[in-house]
Amino acid sequence: IKKAARDFVKVFRPEDRGMIASFDYAVRVLSPLTGDKKRLRDAIDDASIARQAGSSMQDAVYRVVTGDFARVPGRKAIIVLTDGRVWGRTISNQRLLE
């Protein structure tokens, strides 16, 4: 997964920006929104897998969309790498889609 993330950062254009966040029961921003590829790669390398399976994925995506991405004009994309086990969420699927 980390290799795929680093490969993705390699194809960033000069105007592209990315941020790295990890999430399980909490959301942690490992790198703020930046175009600095080295900073993004370092954040990817620092990411760790939680010992317990599962995450509050919807809450994490909602936080990024309404917080960090809200002030960014133009197109945005979120790439989520998850084990697919969701628990403890407070944001519903419908609210997230809205």
Side-chain angles (χ1 to χ4, degrees), residues 19-21 23 27 29 33 58-72 76-78:
M19 70 179 285
I20 308 299
F23 59 93
V27 180
V29 174
L33 200 58
Q58 282 96 327
D59 295 0
V61 172
Y62 186 81
R63 180 202 180 259
V64 170
V65 169
T66 61
D68 302 285
F69 276 16
R71 62 184 178 272
V72 178
K76 297 168 265 306
I78 295 178

Side-chain angles (χ1 to χ4, degrees), residues 35-54:
D36 183 339
K37 292 181 184 183
K38 181 181 180 339
R39 189 169 186 185
L40 293 169
R41 285 191 309 269
D42 289 348
I44 291 165
D45 291 341
D46 288 344
S48 62
I49 304 297
R51 294 177 194 249
Q52 180 180 3

